[in-house]
Amino acid sequence: MSSSKDLLLDIDDRNESETTPNMKAILPIFVFLVFYLGNGIYFEYISPIEGKMGFYITSVVVSFGIALVVAFMQNRSLSFDKKIEICAKGIGDTNITIMLLIFLLAGAFSGIASATGGAVSTANMLLNIIPPNYAVVGLFVISCLISVAMGTSVGTISVLTPIALIVGQNSGISLPLCAGTVIGGAMFGDNLSFISDTTIAATKTQGVEMKDKFLTNFKIALPAALVTVVILTVLSLSTEAQSVGNYEFSFILTIPYIWVFLMALMGVNVFVVLLIGVFMFLISGLGLGTVSYASAFEAMGKGTSGMFETMIVTILVASISSLIRAHGGFEAILCFIRRHFNERRGGMAGIALLTSAMDVATANNTVAIVMAAPIAKEISTEFGVSKRVTASLLDTCSCIMQGIIPYGAQLLVAAGIMGISSISIVPWMIYCYILTVFVVITVIRAKK
């Protein structure tokens, strides 16, 4: 028999879940978008500051902090202590906790992998086997493989764009095309990698296994990549065959990447995968002398520190989302979607559009996923969209938009290295456009 205390708790839980639709509750999201997007546009296009990317001048953490303050100011029927309790429940969600811990491990892995020279070595090994007249195709394939292994699109772009610049200058291939090819491959890997922060965010917020999400994504991304290879091959036929040079590499440093990918694909726990990957890079780096004991741990420290902002954003978004849900914001969004979409296809389209809009506004695919994920989870339940499909749409659509917007870090970093404008790269983001077509086809072909 339930106690009176248990009964009161049950009633309290029902009151929290059965909220009245309230569109005003999503005001914190608009406050964030206006503050962050507005400042980003101002500092990027109206009053740029030399040497700085406009969308990274205004801290995303501060922007979300302001949005959280707005969320706390709403709904006076709830006490401040009750709102704190709601935030704590959101932050303490099992999937959020797991996601934060994985971010730390992924940061350590990325740090030690870069310090040992694993990424550069893998890229150089592949470059040495590329036929000269298919250099641009090779750049795309290498970028795909490196980003799957590294789990970071910006890291891949930083490694390969200087090489792509040399390839473009030596072969006479358009520099924007070379940049777009590298970025496209980087977004392919960012979308599929088991250690990518976007994959971690998409899977853990939806409570789905990484392997299941990978297999679902693969059915969309692989055909898009193959079509891109065909298009790039056709473009390559018009270029003259010139050598892109010889590059030094160590096969030993490529083994940890290969092993990590295989373990992840076999469904090994992601914590185990990352720990083994860190250990393998540590041993191989020390053995080859590419890192010392001190520099290895310094690199891992820098890698984890690089994840701190993402972790803080995750905590802030979890708090804001919990308050918006309690205030009736999610229910209001669901009511809107019910009026304009129907059946499973409509739910998938709603998730895709929501995620794309968030990425355009935030210029950060991980942040876009974390913001869209709670609402996407509600949509998937309402419209019968499976968790793995929802996670796939979150990751894929955010990566598509992140690879197209000229003010995103990916295009800005590549443009800076190449010495060209980010706008000039946009028309050559072939993979992202092809991937968009396949996403649309997937939604249309979905069962009702």
Side-chain angles (χ1 to χ4, degrees):
M1 183 176 179
S2 299
S3 66
S4 58
K5 182 179 180 180
D6 291 335
L7 182 60
L8 288 173
L9 287 173
D10 289 341
I11 293 172
D12 188 49
D13 288 339
R14 284 199 301 271
N15 288 337
E16 285 188 19
S17 61
E18 297 173 3
T19 54
T20 303
N22 178 19
M23 192 57 76
K24 293 181 180 179
I26 65 173
L27 177 63
I29 295 177
F30 285 102
V31 169
F32 166 79
L33 296 179
V34 169
F35 189 80
Y36 184 75
L37 185 62
N39 281 323
I41 292 172
Y42 178 78
F43 288 117
E44 182 68 29
Y45 300 109
I46 300 174
S47 181
I49 298 176
E50 186 176 354
K52 293 182 180 292
M53 294 185 288
F55 277 80
Y56 291 84
I57 292 176
T58 302
S59 168
V60 67
V61 173
V62 172
S63 300
F64 273 120
I66 293 171
L68 181 59
V69 171
V70 173
F72 266 100
M73 294 173 63
Q74 292 183 300
N75 195 356
R76 295 183 181 180
S77 63
L78 294 177
S79 67
F80 179 81
D81 290 342
K82 183 60 179 177
K83 291 175 182 176
I84 290 291
E85 181 184 336
I86 291 170
C87 290
K89 287 182 179 179
I91 297 170
D93 180 83
T94 302
N95 289 320
I96 295 294
T97 303
I98 292 174
M99 185 163 61
L100 294 174
L101 294 176
I102 293 175
F103 279 149
L104 285 176
L105 270 177
F109 176 85
S110 177
I112 188 67
S114 297
T116 57
V120 174
S121 194
T122 304
N124 289 350
M125 180 184 72
L126 295 170
L127 276 170
N128 284 328
I129 62 176
I130 299 173
N133 55 323
Y134 293 103
V136 69
V137 181
L139 282 173
F140 177 73
V141 174
I142 291 171
S143 185
C144 289
L145 296 175
I146 295 296
S147 57
V148 168
M150 291 182 68
T152 164
S153 55
V154 174
T156 300
I157 291 165
S158 300
V159 168
L160 290 183
T161 302
I163 298 173
L165 177 60
I166 296 172
V167 170
Q169 291 172 337
N170 290 348
S171 63
I173 300 172
S174 162
L175 291 185
L177 171 59
C178 288
T181 299
V182 169
I183 298 169
M187 301 319 296
F188 171 90
D190 198 353
N191 185 17
L192 289 177
S193 177
F194 287 90
I195 59 173
S196 165
D197 48 1
T198 58
T199 295
I200 295 167
T203 55
K204 294 309 171 185
T205 55
Q206 303 306 308
V208 63
E209 292 294 327
M210 291 188 179
K211 183 176 70 171
D212 294 335
K213 178 262 184 187
F214 173 85
L215 294 174
T216 303
N217 256 22
F218 199 65
K219 295 175 183 178
I220 303 173
L222 181 61
L226 292 176
V227 172
T228 302
V229 166
V230 171
I231 294 173
L232 292 176
T233 300
V234 172
L235 292 174
S236 297
L237 295 176
S238 61
T239 62
E240 295 182 6
Q242 296 186 29
S243 175
V244 296
N246 294 314
Y247 300 89
E248 295 182 359
F249 68 92
S250 169
F251 179 72
I252 293 176
L253 289 175
T254 69
I255 294 175
Y257 276 136
I258 297 171
W259 187 243
V260 162
F261 177 74
L262 291 176
M263 283 192 298
L265 195 58
M266 289 186 293
V268 178
N269 183 281
V270 66
F271 287 104
V272 176
V273 170
L274 290 172
L275 284 171
I276 291 177
V278 169
F279 181 75
M280 290 180 71
F281 268 120
L282 180 62
I283 296 301
S284 59
L286 291 174
L288 294 174
T290 56
V291 292
S292 64
Y293 178 85
S295 64
F297 281 90
E298 181 183 8
M300 284 189 277
K302 287 182 179 179
T304 54
S305 297
M307 288 290 187
F308 286 172
E309 181 176 80
T310 300
M311 295 173 70
I312 295 299
V313 165
T314 301
I315 292 171
L316 289 172
V317 172
S319 301
I320 295 169
S321 297
S322 297
L323 289 173
I324 291 175
R325 178 186 287 109
H327 297 167
F330 284 4
E331 187 61 32
I333 294 173
L334 285 173
C335 287
F336 175 83
I337 292 175
R338 290 189 196 106
R339 288 196 300 269
H340 295 84
F341 298 94
N342 56 70
E343 300 176 337
R344 188 165 177 261
R345 293 172 185 168
M348 292 173 65
I351 292 169
L353 292 172
L354 173 68
T355 308
S356 300
M358 290 298 182
D359 192 83
V360 170
T362 62
N364 185 305
N365 45 350
T366 305
V367 173
I369 290 171
V370 174
M371 285 184 68
I375 302 174
K377 194 170 186 178
E378 299 282 351
I379 295 172
S380 65
T381 302
E382 178 78 19
F383 290 84
V385 181
S386 68
K387 293 179 180 180
R388 67 177 186 277
V389 171
T390 301
S392 175
L393 287 171
L394 283 168
D395 202 342
T396 304
C397 293
S398 67
C399 285
I400 287 172
M401 297 312 302
Q402 190 65 23
I404 294 175
I405 54 175
Y407 50 85
Q410 286 77 4
L411 268 72
L412 290 174
V413 169
I417 295 173
M418 288 277 194
I420 57 180
S421 71
S422 60
I423 294 290
S424 68
I425 303 174
V426 175
W428 297 104
M429 291 306 305
I430 299 170
Y431 170 71
C432 289
Y433 299 131
I434 300 298
L435 184 59
T436 302
V437 172
F438 277 92
V439 169
V440 173
I441 292 172
T442 300
V443 172
I444 293 174
R445 292 182 61 186
K447 295 180 181 178
K448 295 183 179 180

